[in-house]
Amino acid sequence: MPTQAAPTPPPAEPLPSSSDSTSPTEDAEADAEGTPSRSGPVGTVSWGTGTLVGVFTGLLYGGAKEANANVSKDAEVMLKMGSTTDKREQYRLMRDAMEKRFIRVAKGSLVGGARLGMFTATFFGIQNLLIENRGVHDVFNIAGAGSATAAAFGLICWVQLKLAEKANLEIENSKSSSDLQGNQSRVGAAIDRLESSLRK
């Protein structure tokens, strides 16, 4: 019986060139269909995702902080409500207190969300910029982004503090000058009245 040659294996597929393949980090993150799940190196956070998480966290934190700060004001309202027997007045006091509380909590939520959202957007933006420019994702990018963000927000806080001090100084100066003018006019008016009464 003649021996048959072993069947030849099918030809191997050529390796794809680097231009049409995904990076090794993307291959590790590929899902079942083989499509990559992210566009950056493993461990990086998308700028938009980080910003949204920061905004929502800030909304929750700011609202909770304002809600907790208003507990003493609620006690004041309860004391006022107990001092009146008129039901309409009690309802009006309660409605006014709830409206003010809602406005304070909403304002705290919006301010907290904007602040933390800006902070996280700045941090992740600088971090992604450093990753692109350096070509690696390591702890130095995180430290650099954190330092730059902290420095920027520290500068913003310092400028805000200086502007508030200057505004308070201007307010005090305007009050003291108007008080002096008011006192001088009152004193002048009193002197005029005294002189007129002495002349009679």
Side-chain angles (χ1 to χ4, degrees), residues 169-185:
L169 187 62
E170 289 292 325
I171 290 171
E172 287 179 23
N173 288 341
S174 68
K175 282 183 181 178
S176 63
S177 65
S178 67
D179 287 345
L180 288 176
Q181 290 172 355
N183 289 338
Q184 288 173 349
S185 64

Side-chain angles (χ1 to χ4, degrees), residues 2 17 22 26 33 55 66 73 82 120 122 145 150 174 190:
S17 66
T22 58
E26 290 175 345
E33 288 90 33
V55 167
E66 284 298 320
K73 294 178 183 176
T120 55
T122 304
S174 68

Side-chain angles (χ1 to χ4, degrees), residues 7-124:
T8 58
E13 293 181 17
L15 294 174
S17 66
S18 62
S19 63
D20 59 284
S21 71
T22 58
S23 68
T25 54
E26 290 175 345
D27 286 340
E29 294 287 321
D31 61 9
E33 288 90 33
T35 57
S37 61
R38 65 173 65 224
S39 61
V42 175
T44 61
V45 177
S46 166
W47 177 84
T49 304
T51 301
L52 282 176
V53 169
V55 167
F56 286 123
T57 304
L59 287 170
L60 292 173
Y61 173 74
K65 184 174 130 185
E66 284 298 320
N68 287 336
N70 293 327
V71 171
S72 63
K73 294 178 183 176
D74 291 342
E76 292 173 14
V77 171
M78 291 300 181
L79 287 173
K80 286 181 185 176
M81 283 181 55
S83 66
T84 182
T85 57
D86 185 18
K87 289 290 184 189
R88 288 184 197 165
E89 183 67 17
Q90 288 179 351
Y91 288 137
R92 188 190 64 76
L93 287 171
M94 188 60 112
R95 186 189 70 230
D96 290 345
M98 289 299 142
E99 286 175 357
K100 288 177 184 175
R101 184 175 187 178
F102 175 79
I103 291 170
R104 281 192 304 264
V105 170
K107 181 182 174 186
S109 293
L110 292 175
V111 168
R115 285 181 180 168
L116 194 56
M118 287 188 320
F119 188 86
T120 55
T122 304
F123 173 78
F124 286 119

Side-chain angles (χ1 to χ4, degrees), residues 124-135:
F124 286 119
I126 293 173
Q127 180 185 9
N128 290 341
L129 181 70
L130 290 172
I131 289 170
E132 282 183 25
N133 288 341
R134 292 183 66 225

